[in-house]
Amino acid sequence: MKTGTFSKIEALQKEVRKPVVIHLYTGWCAICKIEYFQLNKDKQLVQMMNDDFYFINFEAEKTKEKIYFQGQEFEYLSNGNSGIHELALALSKNKNQPVYPLWVFLDKSQNLVYYQEGRLTPEKMKQKLLEISAL
């Protein structure tokens, strides 16, 4: 799947408005790795994502640059040897510790239309993409 950054997607939205899928993950999350591999193996799903959506694959605990998203600035919050990005906390319903993987689907107007904590199968992902495309 083609991936973009928050700033790149916001610039692209000015040219062609598309729904956005944000995948929050961490390097230590084994389920995240398995899930991402399975999703990328599904050719129909990859085609849908690449054609009709913008996709952001966001490493919540290693991304350290400032991110501007929806008119706000978010920074990395260091905690000794580790930390978490403020944007991961802002996107998560669990403000203390997000559950990974975390999926956030936004419509063309950048409004939240679907939120899921935990694994997303290729079948469920395709179903959600079709629902969001119909909005």
Side-chain angles (χ1 to χ4, degrees), residues 6 58 63 65-69 72-75 85 87:
F6 286 96
F58 182 51
T63 304
E65 69 268 3
K66 278 185 189 175
I67 295 175
Y68 297 92
F69 182 63
Q72 290 184 275
E73 180 180 291
F74 299 92
E75 295 187 34
H85 206 283
L87 185 51

Side-chain angles (χ1 to χ4, degrees), residues 2-7 20-27 29 32 35-36 55-69 74-77 83-92 98-104:
K2 294 181 204 165
T3 62
T5 62
F6 286 96
S7 58
V20 177
V21 176
I22 304 168
H23 176 229
L24 283 84
Y25 71 99
T26 65
C29 173
C32 300
E35 171 192 65
Y36 192 65
F55 178 61
I56 299 171
N57 204 28
F58 182 51
E59 219 289 18
E61 296 181 359
K62 296 273 190 258
T63 304
K64 295 190 177 175
E65 69 268 3
K66 278 185 189 175
I67 295 175
Y68 297 92
F69 182 63
F74 299 92
E75 295 187 34
Y76 181 76
L77 303 172
I84 189 166
H85 206 283
E86 282 181 318
L87 185 51
L89 296 172
L91 290 170
S92 176
V99 174
Y100 303 109
L102 173 59
W103 292 93
V104 177

Side-chain angles (χ1 to χ4, degrees), residues 2 18 46-53:
K2 294 181 204 165
K18 293 182 185 181
V46 170
Q47 185 75 44
M48 289 172 72
M49 283 291 287
N50 290 343
D51 291 349
D52 302 320
F53 293 82

Side-chain angles (χ1 to χ4, degrees), residues 5-21:
T5 62
F6 286 96
S7 58
K8 185 177 178 185
I9 300 281
E10 285 203 343
L12 289 171
Q13 286 285 26
K14 292 176 181 160
E15 297 170 27
V16 179
R17 291 170 60 98
K18 293 182 185 181
V20 177
V21 176

